[in-house]
Amino acid sequence: QVQLVESGGGLVQPGGSLRLSCAASGFTFSLYAMSWYRQAPGKERELVAHITSTGGNTNYVDSVKGRFTISRDNAKNTLYLQMNNVKPEDTAVYFCGKSTMSWGTTYDYWGQGTQVTVSS
């Protein structure tokens, strides 16, 4: 069965860095686009970053452009989110999602999420 397991969250100071990972199993990882979403308390889930199946195209929400980088290692079936210069407003639960296609943003599976807290 499809499994997506996020890790790497934690407490980080403003201006610091964190790298999230999403280990995928149960499907052919290299065939599907993937995304990172986040949900802060009292807010709707927000698309943070998206990457196509080959990694050739990426997209970001404006608030993280220039600070976050989404990447993937298809040989390791792992998705990453490098978070630099983090801000308190980045505090949220971060989820990885599996697209139904090689490039689209319709999802059929989600991980359980990893908490990121940005605070001094």
Side-chain angles (χ1 to χ4, degrees):
Q1 69 279 22
V2 172
Q3 283 195 316
L4 299 171
V5 181
E6 300 96 336
S7 62
L11 175 63
V12 59
Q13 293 186 343
S17 296
L18 211 57
R19 189 174 82 155
L20 306 183
S21 298
C22 171
S25 61
F27 65 102
T28 306
F29 181 73
S30 61
L31 295 182
Y32 297 94
M34 299 289 294
S35 291
W36 286 100
Y37 272 73
R38 66 186 178 186
Q39 188 164 22
K43 295 188 177 181
E44 294 186 356
R45 190 173 291 196
E46 173 187 45
L47 174 62
V48 175
H50 175 76
I51 187 167
T52 54
S53 59
T54 63
N57 284 286
T58 58
N59 287 287
Y60 301 89
V61 67
D62 286 346
S63 60
V64 308
K65 284 180 180 177
R67 300 189 298 121
F68 291 10
T69 302
I70 188 172
S71 63
R72 64 192 297 160
D73 186 335
N74 285 346
K76 295 183 178 180
N77 293 344
T78 304
L79 177 73
Y80 302 101
L81 184 69
Q82 179 66 43
M83 305 169 64
N84 296 330
N85 189 25
V86 296
K87 303 176 180 181
E89 51 264 41
D90 295 322
T91 295
V93 178
Y94 284 72
F95 302 86
C96 62
K98 171 191 169 291
S99 174
T100 59
M101 298 179 290
S102 63
W103 52 269
T105 55
T106 300
Y107 304 95
D108 52 4
Y109 291 96
W110 297 94
Q112 82 290 347
T114 186
Q115 175 71 48
V116 172
T117 302
V118 182
S119 176
S120 54

